[in-house]
């Protein structure tokens, strides 16, 4: 029996597993590229969002800083305004002593019609505007209209109340007439120390809507003045005054135009007109005879 020769099995070559080096050398698949691109976009969006947030914070800090500076400036103006009013009151008291000695009449200007206007008051007829006393206005910062910064509701005010501004102790009223016919109820003029007339309704106390009227046309101002009585004594009284604020079509007292930027004393039963409006405003108080 022939001997069997040993059968040699041929071994198949081993497969070599890909190493990490080989994997890294290959280009990434399209899916991997898309993932990496999406991750990069999300990262950029996060960076942009953080940048915008930082910018908003910086803008907020700047705005707070501006507001703080503005508050400090307003506080300084108010403190300066308070000190100025105290000095004005001191000067006013000192001037009152001098007036008692000289028996002057500070509510009037040195008008040549001054003496004749005294006689005309005794007659029942209305005195024309040319006989009304005039005074230069005071433009110091004080009063409700000025609001410490000469602005009210974002609008620059053309008038500031003087230091002698006071609320009236009489209940003055304005009766409105058009073509000699009364309109509505009378306007009450005793609740504050001044009343602004004009077309700008945001700031006007009494709107005048006629096209010929200016936005800030005129003002009625109550002032405390020194008055000489018939017995030679002097006393303090609060009287109404009218001032035209440089209007285009003027202001009239008893049909006579008045000069702008000057105080004109108003008397009971005086008639006021603004511009070319047909409305007439008659000044009376609660004790006026019908």
């Amino acid at each position: 029996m022939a001997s069997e020769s040993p059968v040699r099995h041929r071994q198949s070559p081993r497969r070599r597993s890909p190493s990490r080096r080989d994997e890294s050398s290959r280009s990434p698949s399209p899916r991997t590229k898309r993932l990496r691109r999406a991750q990069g976009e999300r990262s950029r969006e996060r960076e942009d969002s953080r940048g915008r947030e930082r910018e908003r914070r910086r803008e907020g800090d700047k705005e707070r800083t501006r507001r703080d500076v503005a508050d400090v400036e307003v506080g300084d103006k108010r403190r300066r305004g308070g000190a100025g009013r105290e000095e004005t009151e001191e000067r006013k008291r000192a001037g009152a002593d001098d007036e008692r000695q000289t028996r002057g009449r500070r509510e009037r200007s040195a008008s040549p019609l001054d003496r004749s206007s005294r006689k005309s008051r005794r007659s029942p007829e209305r005195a024309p505007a040319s006989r009304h006393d005039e005074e230069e206005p005071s433009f110091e910062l004080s009063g409700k209209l000025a609001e410490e910064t000469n602005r009210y509701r974002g609008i620059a005010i053309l008038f500031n109340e003087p230091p002698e501004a006071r609320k009236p102790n009489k209940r003055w009223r304005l009766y409105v007439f058009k073509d000699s016919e009364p309109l509505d109820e009378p306007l009450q003029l005793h609740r504050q120390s001044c009343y602004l007339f004009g077309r700008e309704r945001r700031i006007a106390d009494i709107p005048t809507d006629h096209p010929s009227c200016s936005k800030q046309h005129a003002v009625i101002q109550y002032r405390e003045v020194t008055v000489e009585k018939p017995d030679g004594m002097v006393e303090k009284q609060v009287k109404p005054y009218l001032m035209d604020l440089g209007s285009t079509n003027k202001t009239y007292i008893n049909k006579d135009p008045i000069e702008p930027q000057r105080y004109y004393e108003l008397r009971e039963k005086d008639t006021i007109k603004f511009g070319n409006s047909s409305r007439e405003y008659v000044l009376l108080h609660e004790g006026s005879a019908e």
Side-chain angles (χ1 to χ4, degrees):
M1 186 175 181
S3 60
E4 296 179 359
S5 62
V7 179
R8 294 182 180 178
H9 297 282
R10 187 177 179 180
Q11 296 180 351
S12 60
R14 293 183 179 179
R15 276 189 173 181
R16 193 175 54 170
S17 60
S19 63
R20 294 181 180 178
R21 183 175 180 181
D22 294 337
E23 290 180 356
S24 62
S25 62
R26 289 186 302 176
S27 61
S29 64
R31 182 173 179 274
T32 304
K33 290 181 180 179
R34 287 195 298 271
L35 290 175
R36 291 179 180 175
R37 192 180 304 113
Q39 290 174 355
E41 291 177 355
R42 284 195 294 271
S43 177
R44 284 193 295 272
E45 289 178 357
R46 285 194 295 270
E47 288 297 327
D48 293 342
S49 177
R50 293 193 189 101
R52 288 192 294 269
E53 183 65 26
R54 287 193 294 268
E55 187 65 24
R56 282 196 294 270
R57 289 178 181 175
R58 283 196 293 269
E59 290 297 328
D61 294 340
K62 290 179 182 179
E63 183 63 26
R64 283 192 293 273
T65 302
R66 284 195 291 268
R67 285 199 297 268
D68 293 341
V69 171
D71 292 342
V72 171
E73 291 177 352
V74 170
D76 292 341
K77 289 181 179 178
R78 288 178 178 174
R79 286 192 291 272
R80 289 196 296 269
R85 284 192 292 274
E86 291 178 1
E87 293 178 0
T88 303
E89 290 296 331
E90 289 294 334
R91 289 195 296 268
K92 180 184 171 185
R93 284 192 290 268
D97 296 336
D98 296 337
E99 289 169 354
R100 291 190 187 95
Q101 296 175 2
T102 59
R103 297 179 180 178
R105 306 184 70 175
R106 302 180 70 187
E107 76 279 14
R108 299 188 174 189
S109 63
S111 171
L113 301 175
D114 209 17
R115 295 183 180 178
S116 61
S117 64
R118 298 181 193 175
K119 298 180 182 179
S120 63
R121 284 186 203 159
R122 299 176 183 175
S123 63
E125 300 178 357
R126 298 180 188 174
S130 60
R131 296 185 180 181
H132 281 70
D133 303 323
E134 305 175 14
E135 282 196 11
E136 292 290 343
S138 171
F139 291 100
E140 296 183 9
L141 276 177
S142 62
K144 174 210 168 194
L145 289 176
E147 287 292 333
E148 301 293 348
T149 58
N150 203 29
R151 298 185 71 83
Y152 185 66
R153 294 183 179 180
I155 301 175
I157 305 299
L158 302 180
F159 171 77
N160 298 323
E161 288 196 80
E164 67 272 15
R166 299 289 187 276
K167 284 187 178 181
N169 44 28
K170 290 183 180 179
R171 291 180 177 268
W172 291 96
R173 300 166 184 166
L174 273 181
Y175 290 79
V176 187
F177 294 86
K178 185 173 183 180
D179 298 330
S180 301
E181 294 293 330
L183 298 178
D184 303 327
E185 294 295 323
L187 304 173
Q188 303 296 328
L189 293 183
H190 63 275
R191 296 188 175 97
Q192 56 194 51
S193 57
C194 70
Y195 289 84
L196 179 64
F197 295 78
R199 286 192 296 109
E200 183 55 78
R201 284 182 167 267
R202 287 179 293 174
I203 57 175
D205 298 298
I206 301 178
T208 54
D209 296 328
H210 196 272
S212 66
C213 296
S214 300
K215 292 183 178 180
Q216 299 180 54
H217 197 102
V219 64
I220 288 181
Q221 174 69 63
Y222 292 101
R223 305 167 62 204
E224 184 183 62
V225 294
T226 304
V227 177
E228 182 181 0
K229 298 194 295 185
D231 59 2
M233 301 297 291
V234 293
E235 65 176 0
K236 296 288 187 180
Q237 292 184 7
V238 178
K239 292 187 175 184
Y241 287 80
L242 180 66
M243 179 195 293
D244 181 272
L245 300 178
S247 63
T248 304
N249 295 304
K250 299 184 178 181
T251 303
Y252 300 83
I253 301 178
N254 301 328
K255 298 183 180 181
D256 293 326
I258 63 175
E259 295 183 14
Q261 308 300 340
R262 298 181 70 88
Y263 283 123
Y264 286 79
E265 182 184 346
L266 292 174
R267 300 184 180 90
E268 182 184 358
K269 299 182 181 180
D270 277 345
T271 300
I272 305 170
K273 286 188 64 177
F274 303 102
N276 300 325
S277 174
S278 60
R279 295 194 178 194
E280 296 182 338
Y281 300 80
V282 179
L283 183 67
L284 298 172
H285 56 75
E286 59 183 353
S288 300
E290 295 293 340

